[in-house]
Amino acid sequence: RKEVEQDPGPFNVPEGATVAFNCTYSNSASQSFFWYRQDCRKEPKLLMSVYSSGNEDGRFTAQLNRASQYISLLIRDSKLSDSATYLCVVTLGEGFQKLVFGTGTRLLVSP
Amino acid sequence: GAVVSQHPSWVICKSGTSVKIECRSLDFQATTMFWYRQFPKQSLMLMATSNEGSKATYEQGVEKDKFLINHASLTLSTLTVTSAHPEDSSFYICSAPHRAGWDYEQYFGPGTRLTVT
């Protein structure tokens, strides 16, 4: 079983749509949780951290359910520029954060 | 924010040769850096943790004699792929942690695309 699992997609949505991505992780000792965005042939970029209380950044909302070991990302009012691969990432332990990446979910937003 | 650079951004080499990839933290010091590899349509996989002044720590299944890591200074780590083969063709990315507020954030280099012919 992979440490971090995601639906690879692709998710094809029209502009303005709301789309949700899910992620599960296997190690209950995971401490920190993130969503990264990766454009084709580029390095991943941090989108947002994920907390149990949930957090929102503009059109993006992330949720963490530690009991179910489940993380979600909601994107409202999708833009063409949101087209990318979204990576669910967890860390074990504190400090320098050895990151464990999911395989990513590809999003394609069309006009 | 903090900046991490990689050089070269892409390289093509012949089978059997060695290739060196540099990772630099431009505006901060990094005693630890991480090296990842990403094959097409797959996720980033951690290869090794580079430690300034000591040996690198390799993940299970990564050959330390093939992927030589040297953390020469607080701003530079190098990954040398020795005796490269076509199956080593991949996207190699480094990252360095930098304190952001009360926690650390990972800053990624732009990656190096290696093609072995």
Side-chain angles (χ1 to χ4, degrees):
Chain A
R1 183 185 172 188
K2 292 179 183 175
E3 290 189 72
V4 181
E5 295 211 50
Q6 294 181 251
D7 180 344
F11 283 52
N12 291 284
V13 302
E15 269 187 295
T18 295
V19 61
F21 303 140
N22 303 319
C23 165
T24 57
Y25 59 96
S26 60
N27 194 327
S28 59
S30 299
Q31 292 208 358
S32 301
F33 309 88
F34 308 91
W35 283 101
Y36 276 76
R37 170 194 170 127
Q38 186 176 27
D39 294 289
C40 188
R41 294 177 173 260
K42 299 284 188 182
E43 76 276 23
K45 292 187 186 290
L46 179 64
L47 182 64
M48 59 197 308
S49 301
V50 190
Y51 307 111
S52 297
S53 55
N55 51 308
E56 186 174 314
D57 183 1
R59 299 181 292 109
F60 300 84
T61 302
Q63 289 278 356
L64 165 65
N65 185 321
R66 283 188 182 269
S68 303
Q69 296 179 198
Y70 171 93
I71 305 163
S72 66
L73 176 68
L74 183 76
I75 305 176
R76 291 181 298 277
D77 189 22
S78 300
K79 310 291 185 190
L80 294 177
S81 58
D82 294 333
S83 297
T85 296
Y86 291 82
L87 304 168
C88 178
V89 183
V90 306
T91 71
L92 298 172
E94 299 176 349
F96 292 149
Q97 297 185 352
K98 199 161 102 169
L99 304 179
V100 180
F101 285 82
T103 50
T105 299
R106 191 165 172 219
L107 172 65
L108 299 172
V109 182
S110 54
Chain B
V3 178
V4 174
S5 70
Q6 273 185 249
H7 178 79
S9 55
W10 61 270
V11 57
I12 301 172
C13 71
K14 292 187 176 180
S15 189
T17 61
S18 294
V19 174
K20 180 186 284 187
I21 302 170
E22 293 185 348
C23 177
R24 292 182 186 271
S25 55
L26 297 185
D27 50 359
F28 66 102
Q29 294 182 334
T31 56
T32 300
M33 291 183 176
F34 298 97
W35 285 98
Y36 295 84
R37 179 169 56 181
Q38 186 177 32
F39 292 108
K41 298 188 178 181
Q42 294 187 26
S43 187
L44 277 78
M45 295 297 294
L46 180 65
M47 297 176 66
T49 303
S50 174
N51 305 298
E52 190 270 335
S54 64
K55 291 182 180 179
T57 306
Y58 290 83
E59 296 300 301
Q60 193 173 13
V62 178
E63 300 173 57
K64 63 180 181 181
D65 295 328
K66 179 171 180 63
F67 299 98
L68 303 179
I69 291 173
N70 182 22
H71 202 132
S73 72
L74 288 172
T75 59
L76 173 64
S77 174
T78 60
L79 168 68
T80 301
V81 182
T82 63
S83 186
H85 290 284
E87 57 264 31
D88 298 322
S89 298
S90 187
F91 191 45
Y92 292 85
I93 307 177
C94 69
S95 74
H98 183 54
R99 187 173 286 280
W102 57 272
D103 204 350
Y104 283 91
E105 183 175 330
Q106 290 286 347
Y107 291 88
F108 286 84
T112 297
R113 192 159 300 279
L114 170 63
T115 301
V116 184
T117 61

